[in-house]
Amino acid sequence: MAQVLRTACNRDCPDACGILATVEDGRVLRIQGDPEHPVTQGFLCRRTNRFVEERQYHPARLTSPLLRRDGVLTPVSWDEALDLAAGQLLRFRAESGPASIFHYRSAGSLGLLKTVCDFFFERFGPVTMKRGDICSGAGEAAQELDFGAYEANDWFDLRNARAVVLWGKNPHVSSVHQLPLLKEARAAGVKLALVDPVHQRTAALCDLLVQPRPGGDVHLALGVARVLFERGWTDPEAPAYCNHYGAFRELVFSRSLPAWAAGAGLRREEVTALAELYGANRPANIQVGWGLQRRGNGAAAVRALDALGLVTGNVGVPGGGVSFSTRRRSAFDFSFLRGLPAAPRSICEPLFGAEVLAAQDPPIRMVWVTAANPVAMLPDSHTVAEALRSREFTVVVDAFLTDTARCAHLVLPTTTMLEEDDVLGSYGHHWLTLMRAVVPPPPGVKTDLEIMSALAERVGLGQELRADPRAWMERLLQRVDPQGAGAAALEQGPVRNPEAPPVLFAGRRFPTSDGRANLVHELPRDIPRPTLEFPLYLTSISSDRFQASQARPEDQEGPAEARLHPHAALGLPDGALALLQSRIGEMTVRLRHDAAQRRDVVLVDKGGWLSAGRCANALVQATTTDRGEGAAYYDETVRVVPAAPLAESARPRLGG
Ligand SMILES: Nc1nc2c(c(=O)[nH]1)N[C@H]1C(S)=C(S)[C@@H](COP(=O)(O)OP(=O)(O)OC[C@H]3O[C@@H](n4cnc5c(=O)[nH]c(N)nc54)[C@H](O)[C@@H]3O)O[C@H]1N2
Ligand SMILES: Nc1nc2c(c(=O)[nH]1)N[C@H]1C(S)=C(S)[C@@H](COP(=O)(O)OP(=O)(O)OC[C@H]3O[C@@H](n4cnc5c(=O)[nH]c(N)nc54)[C@H](O)[C@@H]3O)O[C@H]1N2
Ligand code: SF4
Ligand SMILES: [Mo]
């Protein structure tokens, strides 16, 4: 008889949904959104609605460890695989010290028990770790500087706003559970604006659409600030709780409104319209998207938005705020981890390929990859692939044969989110949820925790690292347990993080060193501008169909689509094949005309596979953001070149 079991979605997504799984005879029949989860409200997104067919039961799933023998990945037993992995770990540590081993973990699962993998490598070493954050590093660093912490207002606090600016955010793709709230706001007469160089679907929801040049947000925000000052829409109390108030005001008045507008690639009326929407309706909230901070001036852009919120008095009040990410880890107790300060060395995440290749004293001899596909997802894919292939031993733990797994010496097959117990926070809201194994894994598949625990046994850490998910959960939740958010409470359903305040920075008290907020007061260096030779920003952003690179092989057939304004297409017709070329690589694409786009952008889905010739990151140089060591993914400029149809023999194949 079919049973309905409650679990949660661990994908890298701000919504962190509750899931109801219908299970019969150890098989998941379907999943749906948990109607009792306050954010999920009974529906899932497009990509996870297809999870059961496209991930869970897809024939491409790995069910045996694979060891590279004579160049070919060949099935081996778990005992052989684990003995070999443990032997290599011990050997490299003995010969070259633990810094010769690099553990890289990314966002395949946001389950907090994945930190036990970090714990293993810390206790075994500590080994080399990653630093920086390709996803949100710049924005977090900006808000830590300005407010003393990055946090966001409560998810439902949008109901208190009179105006909302979606600044570089595409909820239709990246956070669909925000749409009901935005629609509700709109129906209640709340003013909505969208600021995005890309014309995207969310525009249809908004009263105002502003399409600045890519990376033009700092100029736009300073132009808006000038109008706010001139019209008196600023908070007279702001100098009392902001450092650098005078210097910020001077910066704002250092250029005329037309000059700021020109710097943003806009007309002055557009800047004024945004300032009026934001300044005349209060409280007003800015939803800071993740896209605008993946640029060489990304942290400065977020700092400029923080400043708008601060000088208008919109920070510290219900319905206001400059909301970027919530602190998804804040409820959890990580006192068992020392983290980066204990590591003997770190690799800057966006510079992964070059830094792994260049590391000396000791060189990096072994890389262990957990829940990540760095070849497809980090900049400069070919260099990342070369770095992995050329190590003495590379281990990849994944459920599928990704571009990264194809570079490994050993691949260990792991579970999906429907096959493991874990606990989740969210980076979009404040609810904590439990994930439960609703079905057993296929034979031959282990959780990351089981793998780490089996390795720990082999290297003398068995006592410290047992595969007991419940015990780890209790440990992680021990601080909030007395406040009603322990593992037993979460078993009954989602619980709001008891440590997250209902109103952020209430009383304008900031967790900075002096309790005051900080205003940006210098104009940052601009991002590289397109040239005649490379006239288009390669904008490789989330697709609603997939989570990052988590597609099926059949979705990766044929050339990737590249959307651009017809006038930017060199006279090539809609549907034509073309080459996209950057300074470091090229890919064949099928052009799609889209007259709603700016003439200086070309859109390609993020997450395309290198092995299928669809990976935008093969064209993207590895460069960092101005703070936080993020990746400036979208600063890369490219050109379109006509291409003859590829000969069958030249087409990239999905080889092993
Ligand atoms: N369907 C789907 N959803 C996802 C993901 C996915 O792969 N697929 N990935 C998830 C991940 S990893 C994350 S981090 C989150 C957030 O995921 P993202 O998709 O990164 O989040 P958005 O906040 O929508 O930011 C993207 C928007 O930023 C805009 N943008 C780019 N450059 C600029 C600029 O210079 N200025 C301005 N103003 N805007 C700019 C883009 O045009 C785009 O509309 O959600 C995720 N949600
Ligand atoms: N060009 C371009 N590149 C980008 C971005 C962009 O916008 N443009 N966005 C960036 C952003 S925001 C992010 S967050 C990164 C994402 O980068 P990654 O986190 O590397 O992205 P995924 O492709 O989701 O790879 C995660 C892998 O983990 C596996 N996995 C899932 N669950 C588990 C598990 O429980 N255990 C283990 N061991 N494996 C598991 C999945 O099968 C998948 O292969 O990409 C970045 N790269
Ligand atoms: S990917 Fe995001 S929106 Fe989709 S089900 Fe998971 S948490 Fe919800
Ligand atoms: Mo991300």
Side-chain angles (χ1 to χ4, degrees):
M1 208 183 72
Q3 257 186 308
V4 177
L5 301 172
R6 176 177 279 160
T7 183
C9 178
N10 70 0
R11 308 187 99 177
D12 186 354
C13 170
D15 296 9
C17 288
I19 289 181
L20 297 183
T22 308
V23 174
E24 192 169 40
D25 298 331
R27 207 177 156 85
V28 183
L29 301 181
R30 66 178 165 274
I31 56 176
Q32 62 200 96
D34 182 350
E36 282 168 36
H37 189 294
V39 173
T40 308
Q41 298 191 3
F43 71 98
L44 303 178
C45 64
R46 186 170 175 209
R47 63 196 185 286
T48 300
N49 271 325
R50 300 212 270 242
F51 188 88
V52 174
E53 306 79 54
E54 296 192 352
R55 303 290 294 170
Q56 179 73 13
Y57 297 123
H58 194 276
R61 251 192 95 179
L62 300 174
T63 52
S64 165
L66 302 171
L67 176 64
R68 194 168 294 281
R69 282 197 171 126
D70 301 324
V72 182
L73 288 170
T74 313
V76 292
S77 73
W78 271 103
D79 274 338
E80 188 178 347
L82 290 166
D83 288 346
L84 177 65
Q88 297 285 52
L89 283 166
L90 291 166
R91 179 165 78 90
F92 294 126
R93 185 176 68 177
E95 290 176 3
S96 309
S100 66
I101 300 162
F102 173 32
H103 176 227
Y104 176 74
R105 183 166 74 82
S106 187
S109 164
L110 295 188
L112 287 150
L113 257 63
K114 300 297 170 190
T115 51
V116 180
C117 303
D118 308 344
F119 177 69
F120 171 85
F121 284 100
E122 187 171 295
R123 289 293 295 112
F124 181 78
V127 303
T128 296
M129 289 177 73
K130 74 144 188 169
R131 65 169 203 282
D133 190 275
I134 46 153
C135 174
S136 52
E140 288 170 12
Q143 295 212 319
E144 275 166 11
L145 186 60
D146 293 343
F147 302 137
Y150 75 88
E151 235 312 2
N153 283 24
D154 187 82
W155 179 268
F156 293 107
D157 187 53
L158 271 185
R159 289 191 170 133
N160 300 313
R162 299 304 309 151
V164 178
V165 182
L166 297 165
W167 205 304
K169 185 169 188 170
N170 186 1
H172 261 292
V173 170
S174 61
S175 183
V176 293
H177 293 86
Q178 203 172 44
L179 292 172
L181 267 179
L182 293 171
K183 287 177 183 161
E184 182 188 314
R186 166 116 206 200
V190 175
K191 297 289 176 211
L192 299 183
L194 174 65
V195 181
D196 200 320
V198 173
H199 189 279
Q200 37 118 328
R201 205 176 145 197
T202 311
L205 260 182
C206 295
D207 302 280
L208 177 67
L209 168 64
V210 180
Q211 251 176 300
R213 73 167 166 95
D217 303 278
V218 178
H219 290 76
L220 173 57
L222 293 174
V224 166
R226 183 161 177 143
V227 178
L228 295 170
F229 277 117
E230 284 174 351
R231 306 268 182 104
W233 282 326
T234 50
D235 176 14
E237 299 299 317
Y241 55 84
C242 295
N243 292 320
H244 314 296
Y245 188 88
F248 173 70
R249 198 174 187 286
E250 242 169 67
L251 172 62
V252 166
F253 281 92
S254 68
R255 292 197 186 177
S256 66
L257 179 59
W260 287 128
L266 295 167
R267 289 175 292 117
R268 70 181 285 174
E269 302 78 56
E270 295 177 282
V271 181
T272 309
L274 181 62
E276 284 171 348
L277 183 142
Y278 184 67
N281 299 285
R282 43 188 66 229
N285 170 270
I286 301 179
Q287 289 286 313
V288 186
W290 287 270
L292 81 153
Q293 44 102 54
R294 295 192 193 114
R295 294 199 178 272
N297 63 359
V302 175
R303 295 203 65 198
L305 306 189
D306 293 346
L308 289 182
L310 285 163
V311 298
T312 52
N314 272 308
V315 175
V317 295
V322 185
S323 297
F324 178 53
S325 292
T326 54
R327 291 178 79 81
R328 74 180 177 91
R329 288 162 157 258
S330 72
F332 302 95
D333 186 332
F334 292 107
S335 54
F336 60 94
L337 278 175
R338 288 181 294 156
L340 203 50
R345 172 168 64 192
S346 58
I347 297 289
C348 177
E349 187 175 25
L351 309 180
F352 182 117
E355 288 203 355
V356 167
L357 286 168
Q360 287 303 329
D361 303 322
I364 289 173
R365 301 179 63 186
M366 174 169 176
V367 180
W368 186 289
V369 179
T370 303
N373 187 3
V375 171
M377 301 316 298
L378 295 185
D380 194 1
S381 295
H382 285 293
T383 307
V384 176
E386 185 198 334
L388 293 174
R389 274 195 223 105
S390 57
R391 294 314 89 193
E392 289 170 65
F393 202 62
T394 294
V395 183
V396 174
V397 186
D398 205 302
F400 291 88
L401 195 65
T402 62
D403 284 334
T404 302
R406 288 167 203 269
C407 298
H409 302 96
L410 180 66
V411 181
L412 301 176
T414 195
T415 41
T416 68
M417 65 175 167
L418 298 174
E419 297 160 354
E420 64 180 337
D421 297 327
D422 208 325
V423 59
L424 291 169
S426 153
Y427 63 92
H429 58 71
H430 290 101
W431 272 268
L432 314 174
T433 32
L434 283 197
M435 275 169 67
R436 255 167 304 204
V438 298
V439 285
V445 169
K446 293 186 193 298
T447 64
D448 285 294
L449 184 60
E450 287 166 344
I451 294 169
M452 288 300 127
S453 160
L455 272 185
E457 282 294 336
R458 286 167 169 79
V459 302
L461 292 171
Q463 284 303 311
E464 291 182 57
L465 211 162
R466 272 194 292 270
D468 180 350
R470 178 66 186 217
W472 283 105
M473 265 183 240
E474 282 170 8
R475 191 162 175 181
L476 282 162
L477 289 163
Q478 65 192 11
R479 211 182 54 242
V480 288
D481 188 12
Q483 301 167 70
L490 290 182
E491 253 162 21
Q492 306 308 308
V495 176
R496 192 176 182 279
N497 176 0
E499 297 191 345
V503 177
L504 190 61
F505 311 133
R508 273 75 181 245
R509 278 187 303 275
F510 298 94
T512 52
S513 56
D514 61 0
R516 292 154 61 85
N518 292 306
L519 293 171
V520 65
H521 52 286
E522 276 164 355
L523 196 60
R525 212 156 30 97
D526 206 353
I527 63 166
R529 296 288 190 116
T531 57
L532 277 176
E533 208 188 342
F534 295 101
L536 300 167
Y537 282 109
L538 174 59
T539 312
S540 49
I541 49 180
S542 298
S543 132
D544 66 341
R545 280 278 282 116
F546 308 111
Q547 176 71 46
S549 70
Q550 299 178 34
R552 303 168 301 177
E554 54 268 42
D555 300 316
Q556 294 287 310
E557 283 165 10
E561 279 202 354
R563 267 199 297 150
L564 78 183
H565 192 280
H567 293 168
L570 292 179
L572 294 168
D574 184 69
L577 283 180
L579 281 180
L580 276 191
Q581 292 181 329
S582 76
R583 288 170 179 84
I584 64 161
E586 63 178 31
M587 68 193 274
T588 303
V589 293
R590 188 166 305 281
L591 299 182
R592 286 286 164 227
H593 287 185
D594 181 350
Q597 299 308 334
R598 289 177 58 93
R599 294 172 195 198
D600 55 1
V601 299
V602 55
L603 304 177
V604 176
D605 285 350
K606 86 175 188 195
W609 296 3
L610 190 65
S611 50
R614 295 168 60 108
C615 180
N617 283 329
L619 279 64
V620 174
Q621 297 172 77
T623 55
T624 52
T625 53
D626 45 350
R627 285 178 197 277
E629 297 189 291
Y633 285 106
Y634 316 141
D635 285 357
E636 191 65 53
T637 51
V638 296
R639 63 181 167 219
V640 173
V641 177
L646 274 185
E648 195 55 42
S649 60
R651 208 166 277 161
R653 280 172 203 288
L654 299 175

